[in-house]
Every structure is written in structure tokens, then in C-alpha cells.
Amino acid sequence: MAKREMICIVCPVGCHLSVDEETLEVTGNRCPRGAKYGKKELTNPTRMLTSTVKTNATLQRRVSIKTSDEIPKGKIFEIMDELNTIDAQVPVKSGDILLKNVCDTGVDIVATTSLDR
Amino acid sequence: MYDIIIIGGGAAGLSAAKEAYDPDLNILIIEREAKLGGILKQCIHNGFGIHKFNLELTGPEFAEKTADGIADLDIEVMLETTVTDIIQFKTFDLTVMNEAHGEFHLEAKSVIIATGCYEKTRSQILLPGDRPAGIMTAGSAQRYLNIDGYMVGKKVFILGSGDIGLIMARRMTLEGADVLGVAELMPYSNGLTRNIAQCLDDYDIPLYLSHTITNIVGKERLEQIVIQEVDPHFQPIAGTEKTFDVDTLLLSVGLVPDIQMFESLKFAVSPVTKGAIVDQHLQTSVDGLFACGNALHVHDLVDWVAEESERAGRYAKMYVQGTLDTHRQEDVIPGDNVRYVLPHRYDFDSADDSVKFALRSTLKAAKGTFKITQGETLIMHKKARHIAPAEMEHIVVPKEKMVSNAPITISLEVT
């Protein structure tokens, strides 16, 4: 039976996973999160996306952001384009939602930096 | 007079400050930038804090969480302030500068070095060819992009597969640049394996292992680079040249502890880590001077920086309170297949219940056993998997397993 070899990206340990393409059975994982990741990579691969957006802050010229949850891997570049519409106004607090339901993914864009000026 | 001055307000300095804190002590953090957090501020990707907070945070979030840890404590912070020199008589005398006060002096009983590390530049790896604009370290490009909002180029090649290089390969791709490849001199990557997967494989960016740059072409701006495969002695193999038309070359070729400003103190420095030689209290060869984080040795995870720095803070506090024994007698020796071990020295009598060792291997191995010996006696062993020079290992040796006052050797047996 064909197996897909991959490196787990859930945490920095980087387990070497082997996923059965038919039964979706995962081996080589050291924790349950690895099994979940291996399965998902073959069915619906998703990623966290981090980037920066425009701001009127002067302390630094960009505000770092993340997606509130993982997004489909295929939508990464579409979301990157959508991020260009955001202009974060100070004060920005880490955890602030800057854009809701980005590209109809059900996922929000969240600030990860606090800037008060 | 301060009891403890911590130089650097990044993950290391903030973690050290939290543990050094005592209501009776005067503690000061000196930070050269306008905001606490250090390099984490520009490391906008996630993956920080899994061990420390059991959360997957981005760099700025980890920085903020760590800074919040000291926000309610009576710890003084001087921002946009730079230390230019330190000398020691009975106490430490720091020469300090900032815009508000010009040059001035501060005095402290103890100093913690938490200044992080810097990136090797082109001149440190002797890259041949022209010297056009468009060649910079990956960390500089990261700062330009993530803090200052500048794209540094459109067609990019990356030399070195350290984590920052891999992270920047993805980051530049996301921002619309064409990243043509990453070349690595060694036959293996120096970055975390997960970063090969999620930064290169996800975006089909080729990784050229056992390759280096043998020519750089460009008058004003970089126009072209040539890479070549190298033999086991790192000599370029004729006929393997590949040419890439690029306007930007990012270097991710190694990090070095940033401790130049401490030259006057003349503490012992390890030729391997390029950081201070320390005992199990993270105290250098100068009494009262402690070092931690990337200024001590370059870490791959900030979680380990924080943990180590907390210990440095704790021991610095004990030092100023007069409860730290400082004998520093026995050597800790890196044995077979081990590149370095920290601490470099330990003192059995003043050891806590256990001593925590941090080490790196010289080779990549699927499986192996770390052996801790004193003289001919094997006192402990620890099995490990997926051992790589890029991934730091930790071994905690309980005091009851140690034989008093004998050098400790840690070696790696590959099975």
C-alpha cells in the first residue's frame, strides 16, 4: 500500500510521519497532534498564516498579524491579497480582530503586536 | 547603585529579570530599542512557546507575554539606551548612552549579559565576486519587511539553510517575491526540519544541499549568482555551476553571541560557542557577571532561552544576596560526537538537586545514546532520536548520580 512520508510541522520537534494513503493510518508520530496532522495533510491541508498589515503607528511601520485558526492551504495567496485592505489604527492591542471572516473562511485576522503610538 | 543590571530587554533579559526580582533589590533592564522584546518583535511567524507556555505563539506574542511577566514588578527599564563599555573594580561600572542624557555611568553589584546574537555577514564567509547592493543578512531583510515595511527585492536567492533563511524564503514568497532557491554548504540543513517542510516544500522552493556560491555578478545592484556543488572537503566541483538571475541575496550563514561590548571585562570565552565560559550558575569567569540566552550560546528555540535566562536571574539574585557559592572546579567535557556542552564547568558541592546540561552534536543521526561519564564510570545515559547539530539536546543529571568532584564527559554513541 502506498505511504506518504512527511515531516510533521505541528511543533518544532519535527516528527517523521508516514501516512497510509488508503487507511490514513499515521505512524512515526510522538503525540496525538501528529496523527491528526498526518491525516489532514492527505484530506484537507491547512496552515496558520502570519504576515503584517499597514498601520498609522509611528513606533513601527507594520503590525504583525495571524489567522485566528488554520486556513485552507490553497487560500493562502488570496488571503495575502485581502490583507492589503487592512489599515490598523493605533492603539492596536495584541488579540484585536482586524478583519472578520477573511475570504469566507470563517477565520479572523488578529493583531499579534500591541502599539500605542 | 543597582543590585543587578540586565543588558538586553529581549526574551533572555526579561526572563532573567522576572526571576531576579526581589522587592528588596534594585534591578534595571537596559534596552537599546524603543520597545521591549528584542528579536522576537520581527519574528512574526508562529511556533514559539510550545514548551514554556504550552501555546503556539508568534514571536511578538511571546515577547509581549514575557514582558507582561515583569510589568507589575518594581523593575526599572531604560529604553533606547546603549551600553558602550563595562569595567569592574569592586562593582561593575557601565558606560551608557541615550539621547536624553548623553553619556553617563551606572554602577551595579551584578550584571547579566542578555544581549542576544548577531548574524554573520558576507565579509565573515568570504564570498567571491562583485560587491553590488542587494546582499544582506536574512534577519536584516526580516526587519526591513516586518517592522519597517520595505520589500528588499523581487528575485531572491538564499545562502544558508538556518531557520531565519528558511522563514524568510516563505515570507518573501508570500509577499510576492520569486525565491529561486536555498543553497546549503553542508549535506544537511541547519534549520529545524519542520521549517524545511512548511517554508520550502510548501512553496516548491528547491534546497541545494552541499552547494555554495562561487560567483556574484552585478555593478550597482546584484544581477546574478553562481552556485556550485562541493565535494566532501567543501571544494567546488568543476562543471556543476548553476546560474540564477536575482536582485537579492539573503545570507543565513550563522549566528554569533553579541558580546563585543564586554571586551574590557576579559572573561573567558569558548572558541566553540563564541560566548562566555560559565559554570552551572551561568556565572562567567568574572564574579558577579552572568550570561544567558543567545549571548551565551545560540539557541534554536526561545523557550530554552527563557528557561536558561530564568536560571541566570535566580543565581544573580543569590549572588547579590550572598547565598551563591562560587567554586567552579570541575570541567564538563564534550566527548565523541558532541560539539559543545554547557555549562563548561560545574561545582559538585554547590550544585542544586540536579545540573541541567545543554549540548549539540557534531553529526546527524536517526538514533543514539548520550553517555555521561566521570572518569571511567558511566553515571547516566539517555537515548535520543533524530539527533542533529541544529537541534539542541538537554540532559538533566541528578546530583545523587554524580561522583563528587570529578570532570564530567558527555559523549554521543550512534547506534
Side-chain angles (χ1 to χ4, degrees):
Chain A
M1 236 175 287
K3 296 215 170 195
R4 254 262 295 277
E5 305 292 324
M6 64 184 75
I7 293 161
C8 180
I9 61 165
V10 173
C11 87
V13 171
C15 290
H16 296 243
L17 306 181
S18 179
V19 189
D20 190 300
E21 286 186 350
E22 271 175 41
T23 66
L24 299 180
E25 192 202 353
V26 182
T27 51
N29 55 307
R30 275 183 264 188
C31 82
R33 294 189 299 169
K36 200 175 148 203
Y37 172 79
K39 224 171 267 176
K40 235 166 119 195
E41 272 301 278
L42 267 67
T43 51
N44 174 31
T46 56
R47 293 288 182 269
M48 285 294 287
L49 178 65
T50 61
S51 187
T52 63
V53 298
K54 195 173 156 186
T55 175
N56 68 341
T58 51
L59 202 56
Q60 51 187 63
R61 304 300 303 155
R62 305 289 290 182
V63 171
S64 59
I65 60 94
K66 66 176 182 185
T67 49
S68 59
D69 203 346
E70 295 190 345
I71 45 131
K73 201 174 154 184
K75 284 208 164 187
I76 287 177
F77 283 96
E78 194 186 324
I79 294 173
M80 282 300 295
D81 280 341
E82 197 62 23
L83 292 181
N84 292 334
T85 63
I86 302 175
D87 188 353
Q89 300 296 303
V90 288
V92 180
K93 187 95 188 104
S94 182
D96 285 355
I97 294 173
L98 300 178
L99 182 66
K100 273 196 164 299
N101 188 23
V102 64
C103 298
D104 284 321
T105 53
V107 170
D108 302 332
I109 299 299
V110 179
T112 57
T113 305
S114 301
L115 293 170
D116 50 14
R117 61 184 163 96
Chain B
M1 162 85 90
Y2 289 96
D3 290 294
I4 303 171
I5 291 183
I6 298 163
I7 306 176
L14 294 169
S15 304
K18 185 172 152 247
E19 287 296 316
Y21 176 74
D22 182 291
D24 296 329
L25 297 182
N26 267 331
I27 301 176
L28 168 69
I29 299 174
I30 300 178
E31 165 57 42
R32 67 180 170 191
E33 296 204 13
K35 196 172 189 271
L36 291 172
I39 203 71
L40 286 171
K41 294 197 301 290
Q42 68 185 58
C43 300
I44 61 159
H45 52 282
N46 62 328
F48 302 91
I50 290 159
H51 300 274
K52 183 158 173 54
F53 297 116
N54 203 21
L55 286 171
E56 191 157 342
L57 303 171
T58 63
E61 289 173 313
F62 189 104
E64 219 167 289
K65 220 169 157 53
T66 311
D68 284 349
I70 66 153
D72 296 331
L73 306 177
D74 185 20
I75 293 172
E76 194 182 334
V77 176
M78 275 185 200
L79 295 172
E80 293 178 278
T81 304
T82 299
V83 177
T84 56
D85 196 17
I86 305 183
I87 51 171
Q88 188 197 32
F89 294 110
K90 277 183 177 166
T91 57
F92 295 92
D93 176 274
L94 287 75
T95 310
V96 182
M97 278 172 131
N98 63 26
E99 211 175 291
H101 301 102
E103 187 180 283
F104 57 105
H105 287 261
L106 296 171
E107 204 185 341
K109 290 178 196 159
S110 174
V111 168
I112 302 178
I113 299 174
T115 45
C117 55
Y118 69 88
E119 295 176 282
K120 280 191 193 168
T121 61
R122 177 176 181 181
S123 58
Q124 279 160 299
I125 56 164
L126 303 171
L127 281 184
D130 299 337
R131 311 185 70 80
I135 302 171
M136 71 195 80
T137 63
S140 300
Q142 187 181 44
R143 189 190 160 96
Y144 283 132
L145 187 53
N146 294 346
I147 303 282
D148 302 326
Y150 299 109
M151 265 298 266
V152 295
K154 292 189 178 121
K155 297 191 85 176
V156 183
F157 198 89
I158 296 170
L159 177 63
S161 62
D163 284 311
I164 316 167
L166 301 176
I167 293 287
M168 283 310 289
R170 174 178 63 182
R171 185 79 187 104
M172 295 294 285
T173 305
L174 286 176
E175 291 293 351
D178 193 5
V179 179
L180 298 170
V182 177
E184 168 59 52
L185 181 67
M186 303 301 286
Y188 51 81
S189 162
N190 282 311
L192 296 170
T193 42
R194 79 188 301 229
N195 283 339
I196 303 284
Q198 64 183 354
C199 297
L200 300 188
D201 298 351
D202 267 8
Y203 300 94
D204 298 319
I205 299 167
L207 173 61
Y208 299 95
L209 294 172
S210 297
H211 275 75
T212 193
I213 289 179
T214 51
N215 199 14
I216 289 172
V217 183
K219 274 208 167 72
E220 297 286 321
R221 180 79 191 192
L222 177 62
E223 290 160 28
Q224 214 171 55
I225 60 146
V226 180
I227 69 168
Q228 251 174 289
E229 199 177 335
V230 296
D231 67 19
H233 307 289
F234 305 116
Q235 296 307 307
I237 301 169
T240 61
E241 293 86 350
K242 284 188 199 73
T243 302
F244 296 88
D245 293 325
V246 290
D247 57 28
T248 303
L249 173 63
L250 301 185
L251 304 176
S252 175
V253 290
L255 301 165
V256 185
D258 195 357
I259 54 171
Q260 269 174 319
M261 74 178 82
F262 305 101
E263 254 173 13
S264 309
L265 289 171
K266 299 204 185 331
F267 54 82
V269 171
S270 157
V272 181
T273 60
K274 316 277 190 226
I277 287 181
V278 293
D279 62 15
Q280 79 258 32
H281 303 123
L282 301 161
Q283 186 167 219
T284 68
S285 60
V286 171
D287 275 2
L289 181 69
F290 296 79
C292 56
N294 286 344
L296 177 59
H297 60 133
V298 175
H299 295 62
D300 31 58
L301 297 182
V302 70
D303 304 66
W304 307 141
V305 167
E307 186 275 330
E308 180 181 275
S309 304
E310 286 171 1
R311 279 187 283 142
R314 210 145 55 225
Y315 292 126
K317 174 167 71 179
M318 287 169 69
Y319 173 84
V320 295
Q321 290 174 336
T323 56
L324 188 69
D325 244 340
T326 51
H327 298 297
R328 296 197 290 272
Q329 291 152 339
E330 300 298 338
D331 287 333
V332 179
I333 305 157
D336 291 346
N337 303 325
V338 173
R339 201 169 134 246
Y340 74 80
V341 185
L342 252 84
H344 309 84
R345 288 162 171 274
Y346 89 103
D347 168 39
F348 181 83
D349 295 324
S350 66
D352 299 334
D353 298 342
S354 61
V355 175
K356 186 171 188 178
F357 295 98
L359 55 136
R360 286 186 191 276
S361 67
T362 55
L363 46 79
K364 209 171 170 157
K367 270 186 197 168
T369 306
F370 288 101
K371 295 196 161 172
I372 299 100
T373 53
Q374 286 188 298
E376 297 299 301
T377 317
L378 177 73
I379 58 165
M380 214 183 118
H381 70 276
K382 187 192 174 190
K383 285 187 175 154
R385 298 178 65 181
H386 301 300
I387 300 153
E391 309 210 6
M392 192 188 289
E393 302 278 344
H394 286 99
I395 299 174
V396 177
V397 182
K399 190 170 177 179
E400 71 256 20
K401 296 218 173 182
M402 293 182 201
V403 184
S404 66
N405 302 325
I408 287 180
T409 302
I410 301 183
S411 52
L412 168 64
E413 199 179 274
V414 176
T415 42

